[in-house]
Amino acid sequence: MSRRLAAVLTAAALLPFAAAPAAAASPDRSQPAARAAQVRILGTGSQFSPNADGHRDRLAVRYRLSAPARVSVEVQHRGRTVVRTAPKVRRAGTRSFVWDGTLASGKRAADGAYRVVLHATGHATTRSDAARVVVDTSPTRLDVGTFGLSSDTVYPYATVIDDVVVGNFGFDSLYYGDTWNEQQEWIAASRAQVVDRDGHVVATERFTPASPRTAGGSMDGPTSCGPCGRFTWDGRDSDGVRQAPGTYRIRVVHGRDAAGNLRIAGPVRAVTVSAAQLEPSTTVRDLLAADATRTYDIPTGCLGCEVSSCPPVDSTRFTGGLTFDRTPSHCRVSSALFTTPVPGRRTPYDTFSVAATGGPSTEGGDGSADLRTYTGLTIEPSHPMTGDATVSTDVVSVSPNSEVYPSDHAPSVTWLIDGLAGSYDIASFTVTIHTYVPVA
């Protein structure tokens, strides 16, 4: 055999071994196989109010990834997907998805329950977790008390006075806290908001404490009211700019609910801003004493002491008059309170005075009486009446210190006749009331 042929045969014999693949390497079982990422929602807060008021307008859904993954989010409402995000790679650890309440259509989500579903995909496996969230943009209503305004119109353009409307809020029953002070603190933490027709808050007013009127109606304050709070609004915004004529709403707000919405206490009242001018107006009422409205007679007894009271009776000296008689031994007191309505709208600038005409029950006798006015919670100085006389009180504010308390009753002024000695008759009253009314 020649050398050349031997070489060829040798090469042919070795060819299968040269072409055979190398043996597969054994796996390294010391390294764990990669696993799909786990996703778990940690917390959402569950409620939010995407109404652009700056309070809980967004909802953060916190979740934890056990490994890097591509994460996408679905928001579902009534079985339909209303928001879907494109998958994005997220690292392992705690992450969050923030929803501003906007739907895929660009509209704001309607109030109601939604389901947020997170999908985490890794190593060809998708894991999901879901949570229930609530969109709630409706203010919370608190039926805790009464809220009224002194007038349904305010005149910020008037030049004769700096006109205001006065609002009063008060508890009509025990509510937050068991004590008067706790309830007063609740009112002090509340605010009156003025809202324009577009829903924008143009002014926010603080409350100041105000005392209620007594059950007998003798004082110029609210009735059926626990602790009360008062505020004024002058028809201007928080920067002092007079508001355009039109209708506004005033509401009492106290904090926010879990979704971030305002809590509104009591009813919402409408008030009109008018560009009209005001002018002073005087009303004079001449009343026979017996025809004057009597709120109540001074009661008998005081904290256990025996004080016998004799209410006034019809006068025998003056037709239509009243007799205040202290001569019987049991008549320690003979007094009565009178009232008459204030005409028209009510402002802190209203004033009134009362004149009483009378004389001793027996002409030439020595009986005497006392005339006083009640304003706010203050008894004004006395004005003694002796002999046949007409005595006038000072001109006093209907509501001192702007304390105008709206109530279910017509606003009124109040005065007192108190028999001092002997027997004294009141023939008549003249009540003069100064107010401000729109220019005709």
Side-chain angles (χ1 to χ4, degrees):
M1 182 182 296
S2 66
R3 290 184 181 176
R4 181 178 179 84
L5 180 57
V8 171
L9 292 175
T10 300
L14 295 175
L15 184 60
F17 297 97
S26 298
D28 184 359
R29 300 188 182 277
S30 65
Q31 298 296 325
R35 295 182 179 179
Q38 301 287 333
V39 60
R40 184 165 67 90
I41 293 177
L42 302 177
T44 62
S46 74
Q47 300 181 65
F48 75 123
S49 55
N51 53 9
D53 68 351
H55 296 272
R56 291 189 61 81
D57 291 327
R58 297 169 177 264
L59 181 74
V61 180
R62 296 174 58 249
Y63 61 94
R64 179 175 294 139
L65 285 176
S66 63
R70 295 172 63 83
V71 177
S72 62
V73 182
E74 281 186 274
V75 179
Q76 300 171 350
H77 183 52
R78 296 179 178 175
R80 297 175 52 244
T81 298
V82 294
V83 175
R84 189 193 304 274
T85 67
K88 291 186 178 180
V89 176
R90 301 296 185 193
R91 293 176 297 174
T94 301
R95 301 286 175 259
S96 64
F97 162 70
V98 177
W99 185 34
D100 64 359
T102 301
L103 305 179
S105 63
K107 296 181 179 179
R108 194 189 76 185
D111 285 6
Y114 292 77
R115 189 168 181 261
V116 177
V117 186
L118 273 75
H119 305 290
T121 303
H123 298 282
T125 302
T126 299
R127 308 284 189 187
S128 301
D129 196 11
R132 180 180 182 271
V133 301
V134 175
V135 172
D136 180 7
T137 58
S138 300
T140 298
R141 302 286 177 172
L142 302 175
D143 185 17
V144 298
T146 58
F147 174 44
L149 300 175
S150 61
S151 173
D152 59 6
T153 306
V154 63
Y155 298 83
Y157 296 86
T159 55
V160 64
I161 58 172
D162 294 326
D163 190 43
V164 297
V165 292
V166 182
N168 184 85
F169 175 81
F171 286 102
D172 53 10
S173 62
L174 290 178
Y175 197 69
Y176 287 99
D178 294 330
T179 69
W180 183 283
N181 288 339
E182 287 172 333
Q183 294 181 36
Q184 281 285 26
E185 290 172 2
W186 196 94
I187 293 175
S190 304
R191 298 290 183 268
Q193 285 187 340
V194 183
V195 183
D196 65 17
R197 65 177 61 185
D198 296 322
H200 300 137
V201 177
V202 299
T204 300
E205 306 294 340
R206 292 178 175 270
F207 284 95
T208 56
S211 298
R213 180 162 56 186
T214 61
S218 64
M219 298 183 180
D220 185 27
T223 58
S224 302
C225 175
C228 302
R230 178 186 58 82
F231 72 92
T232 61
W233 184 53
D234 58 4
R236 293 169 167 80
D237 65 14
S238 297
D239 296 323
V241 178
R242 289 181 294 196
Q243 294 301 284
T247 301
Y248 295 76
R249 292 177 295 117
I250 302 183
R251 62 194 184 190
V252 177
V253 299
H254 182 87
R256 295 182 178 273
D257 61 20
N261 297 302
L262 288 170
R263 300 196 307 168
I264 298 177
V268 177
R269 300 298 187 191
V271 63
T272 299
V273 171
S274 173
Q277 290 293 315
L278 295 174
E279 62 183 359
S281 174
T282 299
T283 298
V284 178
R285 292 198 176 107
D286 291 315
L287 304 168
L288 292 176
D291 293 337
T293 300
R294 207 184 311 176
T295 60
Y296 72 100
D297 298 323
I298 299 299
T300 60
C302 58
L303 299 177
C305 64
E306 294 299 328
V307 179
S308 297
S309 176
C310 296
V313 297
D314 291 340
S315 171
T316 58
R317 180 180 177 192
F318 303 115
T319 302
L322 291 174
T323 298
F324 294 80
D325 190 0
R326 290 275 305 274
T327 57
S329 59
H330 67 279
C331 292
R332 298 280 303 279
V333 176
S334 182
S335 302
L337 284 158
F338 301 88
T339 187
T340 191
V342 176
R345 60 189 303 275
R346 192 96 174 263
T347 78
Y349 307 96
D350 299 341
T351 59
F352 78 104
S353 61
V354 178
T357 298
S361 300
T362 301
E363 191 171 0
D366 59 358
S368 62
D370 185 37
L371 168 65
R372 300 188 186 195
T373 53
Y374 271 93
T375 60
L377 301 179
T378 304
I379 303 176
E380 295 297 320
S382 64
H383 299 272
M385 301 181 69
T386 56
D388 290 349
T390 296
V391 174
S392 296
T393 67
D394 300 330
V395 175
V396 294
S397 172
V398 169
S399 299
N401 304 316
S402 304
E403 291 182 353
V404 179
Y405 300 106
S407 70
D408 295 335
H409 306 284
S412 59
V413 295
T414 305
W415 64 97
L416 167 72
I417 292 292
D418 184 16
L420 294 180
S423 182
Y424 197 87
D425 287 17
I426 301 295
S428 62
F429 300 110
T430 298
V431 183
T432 304
I433 305 170
H434 302 280
T435 59
Y436 292 85
V437 298
V439 175

